């Protein structure tokens, strides 16, 4: 009898990339796969593009805001509509187990799963759980966390620290292909700068203001976001709006990373032993989760942190020099880090929760 797994989650590329990492392994194991996401979220583009054979079901979902908005009075009705839509999908797809990566769209799915008595596994990426996962915890059969610090916020009898779920293709990079793509020479260490999928204007500006100084000591790969390419022909400086299949090859030639502090990304850098300078989103721009993620990595010796409000050219260059000086100490610390669950371990864990296995 074919087993069935349904994935849900969205709102960010980081969330969806975990589901993207797990889906191929379930396919290899012969499971039937389906997905519930929002009608127009990033998860729809990612899943339908990479897995056109996987049925994608869009449902209504409301954003759960921590601030006053008139939509706070209307979105509960959207969530309720999403619950009923998700329930109909669950009855149609009849999954044995659901895996949720979080995001607002997952809340109605998990409420519907409770009604349909379907086991649910959720994965929390950040040190402190997001609001969507906070609401989801009572409906979860098992909760997996990325940070061990997160366990203090979760029910002890249903929670385990699994670490990050790392995309296996990141380990398949070729140095030769990386050098061919970038045309960079091996004479200088390579500094990879990432501002997130949409870029980060503050990071982009300080990088370009500091570029001449950086290029004295580094070759620079700059992922600057859509529409942010600067016209220049400086030797040793390569720009991309964003990358997909090229990323493993770029990471293979990378020595040091400057990045935001999204959980999935920084754990990927940890797995690849890439020392980091983290510039987390400020509390004014987020709920502060990236600051906590960065603090945890600094405490463990994997990274340095530069607050966004301190992002001047002088501070940036000083901290990049410190990162270069501490590079090998950080690599030693990374070698001692406990491993995350492998893709196989995570798929086996989810499979054990399925109602067919329980039966």
């Amino acid at each position: 009898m074919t087993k069935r797994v349904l994935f849900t989650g969205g709102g960010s590329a980081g969330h969806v990339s975990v589901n993207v990492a797990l889906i191929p392994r379930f396919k290899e194991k012969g499971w039937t796969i389906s997905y519930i996401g929002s009608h127009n979220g990033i998860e729809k583009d990612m899943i339908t593009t990479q897995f056109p054979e996987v049925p994608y079901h869009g449902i209504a979902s409301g954003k759960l805001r921590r601030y006053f908005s008139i939509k706070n009075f209307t979105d509960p009705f959207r969530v309720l509509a999403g619950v009923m839509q998700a329930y109909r999908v669950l009855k149609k797809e009849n999954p044995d187990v659901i895996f949720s990566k979080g995001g607002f769209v997952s809340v109605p799915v998990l409420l519907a799963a409770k009604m349909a008595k379907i086991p649910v596994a959720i994965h929390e990426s950040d040190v402190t759980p997001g609001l969507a996962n906070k609401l989801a915890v009572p409906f979860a059969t098992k909760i997996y966390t990325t940070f061990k610090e997160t366990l203090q916020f979760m029910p002890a009898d249903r929670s385990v620290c699994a670490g990050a779920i790392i995309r296996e293709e990141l380990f398949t990079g070729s140095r030769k292909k990386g050098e061919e793509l970038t045309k960079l020479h091996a004479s200088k260490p390579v500094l990879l700068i990432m501002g997130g999928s949409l870029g980060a204007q503050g990071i982009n500006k300080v990088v370009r203001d500091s570029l001449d100084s950086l290029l004295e000591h580094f070759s620079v790969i700059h992922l600057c976001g859509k529409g942010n390419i600067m016209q220049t022909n400086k030797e040793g400086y390569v720009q991309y709006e964003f990358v997909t299949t090229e990323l493993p090859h770029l990471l293979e030639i990378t020595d040091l990373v400057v990045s935001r502090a999204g959980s999935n990304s920084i754990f990927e850098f940890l797995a690849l032993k890439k020392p980091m300078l983290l510039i987390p989103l400020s509390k004014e721009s987020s709920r502060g989760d990236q600051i906590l993620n960065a603090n945890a990595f600094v405490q463990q010796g994997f990274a340095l942190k530069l607050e966004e409000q301190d992002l001047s050219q002088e501070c940036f260059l000083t901290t990049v020099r410190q990162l270069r000086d501490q590079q090998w100490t950080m690599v030693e610390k990374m070698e001692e880090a406990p491993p995350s669950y492998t893709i196989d371990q995570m798929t086996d864990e989810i499979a054990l929760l399925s109602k067919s296995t329980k039966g």
Side-chain angles (χ1 to χ4, degrees):
M1 181 178 176
T2 302
K3 294 183 180 180
R4 299 173 178 268
V5 58
L6 184 141
F7 288 87
T8 187
S12 74
H15 280 158
V16 188
S17 66
V18 172
N19 291 339
V20 167
L22 290 169
I23 286 173
R25 192 53 47 89
F26 276 100
K27 286 177 63 179
E28 290 173 12
K29 293 176 180 287
W31 286 59
T32 298
I33 301 161
S34 53
Y35 201 105
I36 295 180
S38 61
H39 287 295
N40 299 306
I42 191 171
E43 63 272 19
K44 182 177 182 180
D45 290 338
M46 292 179 68
I47 297 301
T48 57
T49 299
Q50 298 185 56
F51 306 106
E53 74 284 0
V54 171
Y56 183 93
H57 305 277
I59 64 168
S61 65
K63 184 175 180 180
L64 307 170
R65 300 170 184 84
R66 300 169 185 269
Y67 53 88
F68 176 79
S69 168
I70 194 67
K71 290 185 178 180
N72 288 340
F73 299 100
T74 59
D75 277 8
F77 296 100
R78 291 178 56 80
V79 173
L80 183 60
V83 172
M84 302 314 298
Q85 292 164 8
Y87 186 78
R88 287 195 290 270
V89 173
L90 296 184
K91 285 299 183 182
K92 175 186 175 183
E93 297 291 348
N94 191 28
D96 295 284
V97 64
I98 294 171
F99 180 79
S100 170
K101 196 58 195 73
F104 301 125
V105 72
S106 69
V107 174
V109 180
L110 270 58
L111 285 166
K114 185 70 171 179
M115 295 164 54
K117 298 181 179 179
I118 298 171
V120 171
I122 67 174
H123 188 272
E124 173 55 55
S125 293
D126 297 311
V127 173
T128 58
L131 185 53
N133 268 349
K134 281 183 179 178
L135 294 172
V137 162
F139 309 109
T141 311
K142 191 86 172 192
I143 302 139
Y144 299 94
T145 70
T146 298
F147 292 91
K148 63 180 184 298
E149 294 91 335
T150 316
L151 293 174
Q152 64 184 299
F153 305 108
M154 300 296 185
D157 60 330
R158 290 184 287 134
S159 306
V160 63
C161 179
I165 301 170
I166 308 297
R167 295 173 287 170
E168 291 185 329
E169 63 265 25
L170 292 181
F171 298 99
T172 64
S174 159
R175 174 166 289 275
K176 181 180 178 182
K177 286 184 179 178
E179 291 173 349
E180 289 174 350
L181 283 168
T182 61
K183 306 295 191 295
L184 295 178
H185 305 294
S187 57
K188 294 179 182 177
V190 174
L191 180 67
L192 174 67
I193 300 169
M194 302 177 67
S197 57
L198 298 179
Q201 296 305 320
I203 294 176
N204 288 347
K205 184 178 186 307
V206 78
V207 167
R208 286 163 177 163
D209 289 346
S210 310
L211 197 51
D212 289 337
S213 296
L214 287 174
L215 291 174
E216 291 178 13
H217 305 284
F218 303 97
S219 295
V220 176
I221 302 172
H222 188 184
L223 307 186
C224 56
K226 191 172 183 179
N228 293 323
I229 293 288
M230 177 184 76
Q231 295 303 316
T232 181
N233 57 359
K234 290 182 181 292
E235 186 176 352
Y237 177 59
V238 182
Q239 304 171 83
Y240 299 91
E241 289 189 330
F242 58 88
V243 293
T244 53
T245 56
E246 305 94 339
L247 183 58
H249 310 307
L250 300 185
L251 286 169
E252 181 64 23
I253 64 171
T254 291
D255 297 287
L256 304 168
V257 174
V258 175
S259 173
R260 290 299 195 191
S263 173
N264 293 299
S265 294
I266 65 176
F267 269 90
E268 288 174 348
F269 301 144
L270 171 60
L272 294 167
K273 309 296 185 292
K274 307 296 181 183
M276 301 160 241
L277 167 56
L278 301 178
I279 306 173
L281 283 168
S282 67
K283 284 187 177 180
E284 289 72 30
S285 304
S286 69
R287 65 181 180 88
D289 50 300
Q290 288 200 9
I291 295 173
L292 295 175
N293 295 347
N295 289 344
F297 266 41
V298 170
Q299 290 167 7
Q300 295 175 83
F302 305 151
L304 298 178
K305 182 184 73 168
L306 182 57
E307 298 282 5
E308 194 157 31
Q309 61 267 26
D310 299 326
L311 193 55
S312 67
Q313 181 179 348
E314 182 181 358
C315 286
F316 177 70
L317 287 170
T318 298
T319 315
V320 169
R321 285 194 291 268
Q322 291 173 352
L323 179 67
R324 180 192 58 197
D325 293 343
Q326 297 178 35
Q327 175 181 358
W328 299 113
T329 302
M330 288 185 180
V331 170
E332 289 177 3
K333 293 287 187 182
M334 291 173 166
E335 296 282 359
E336 299 168 1
S340 297
Y341 281 23
T342 64
I343 297 291
D344 275 330
Q345 284 176 296
M346 199 68 225
T347 52
D348 288 346
E349 284 271 338
I350 298 167
L352 286 172
L353 298 177
S354 70
K355 59 187 181 184
S356 60
T357 302
K358 294 294 183 184

